[in-house]
Amino acid sequence: MSFDLDATLRWLKPTRKTRPLRRRSDEKLDWVGTVPLVGAPVLLDTTVYVDVLQGRSPESLDAFVSVRTCNHSSVCLSELMHAFGRLKPDDPRTGKALKTIGETVRDIPAHRLVAPDAVTWAEAGVLGGLLFRLGCHAAGVERKCLNDALIYLQGRRNGWPVVTANIGDFDFLNQLVPDGRVLFYRRVKN
């Protein structure tokens, strides 16, 4: 699969997009609790793993992911695995956290783990840059914008809605590339 820079620039039109993005109202977004439990496969964002593990997932999300076929992105796998290098070994909480993350990662079925291809990576570079510039992000989160763009485009390429609590960034991504789908949920406060 080769990458066509000119086609990507014609498609995303980064030089024509100059106005800052504004988050749409909740009524204009799709929510996990408002779609049928049974339906097409989905792609999980890292927020799903974190919220489930921390007990912050709403009942509607728990029911949804127990019924739907859930696919897993290697981008999210990388974000989860980051903790193994990031957390301090001498912190008493680290062992339990890494054990839980490790169990979660080991439970991901190999046939449900997908990686972005070279074209998706390249397109996500442009889209992540747009998200950073037009989403008015603070310095230091450009990598987060790239990862979110990778997950969004990976879901789009496979025809899978992305399930996420990251309402701001994924709403912006959906505005920039409207033919992808996102299903949002809100975390339960502990």
Side-chain angles (χ1 to χ4, degrees):
M1 182 179 281
S2 65
F3 173 66
D4 185 341
L5 172 62
D6 296 323
T8 296
L9 295 177
R10 280 191 305 274
W11 172 51
L12 291 172
K13 299 176 181 61
T15 59
R16 290 188 183 177
K17 295 177 174 141
T18 58
R19 293 186 179 163
L21 296 166
R22 289 182 174 44
R23 190 169 98 59
R24 295 176 288 186
S25 66
D26 286 357
E27 297 77 32
K28 294 188 178 187
L29 304 177
D30 293 325
W31 297 89
V32 166
T34 64
V35 296
L37 283 178
V38 177
V42 296
L43 183 64
L44 304 181
D45 182 31
T46 309
T47 61
V48 175
Y49 306 95
V50 173
D51 292 337
V52 168
L53 293 176
Q54 293 182 347
R56 299 184 307 181
S57 57
E59 288 180 21
S60 60
L61 176 66
D62 296 338
F64 188 82
V65 298
S66 71
V67 173
R68 290 285 181 114
T69 298
C70 295
N71 293 292
H72 310 270
S73 173
S74 61
V75 178
C76 297
L77 176 64
S78 176
E79 290 180 341
L80 291 170
M81 295 304 297
H82 180 76
F84 284 87
R86 170 72 173 84
L87 297 180
K88 296 178 181 178
D90 57 346
D91 187 315
R93 300 168 294 178
T94 295
K96 181 179 178 187
L98 295 182
K99 181 178 187 285
T100 302
I101 294 168
E103 290 169 353
T104 301
V105 167
R106 286 182 190 98
D107 283 344
I108 295 173
H111 68 284
R112 293 275 172 229
L113 181 62
V114 294
D117 61 22
V119 172
T120 303
W121 268 100
E123 292 171 349
V126 177
L127 186 59
L130 278 169
L131 175 61
F132 181 79
R133 179 168 52 90
L134 301 176
C136 302
H137 286 281
V141 298
E142 285 190 68
R143 178 74 51 165
K144 180 183 171 314
C145 293
L146 174 61
N147 285 353
D148 289 345
L150 274 166
I151 294 163
Y152 181 79
L153 290 177
Q154 195 175 11
R156 176 186 174 271
R157 184 168 301 273
N158 289 291
W160 303 327
V162 175
V163 178
T164 185
N166 184 349
I167 300 166
D169 287 346
F170 279 85
D171 175 36
F172 290 166
L173 289 165
N174 192 233
Q175 289 179 51
L176 291 166
V177 180
D179 60 346
R181 288 209 48 225
V182 184
L183 297 172
F184 296 102
Y185 70 92
R186 281 208 166 80
R187 294 177 172 106
V188 173
K189 295 182 182 179
N190 290 341

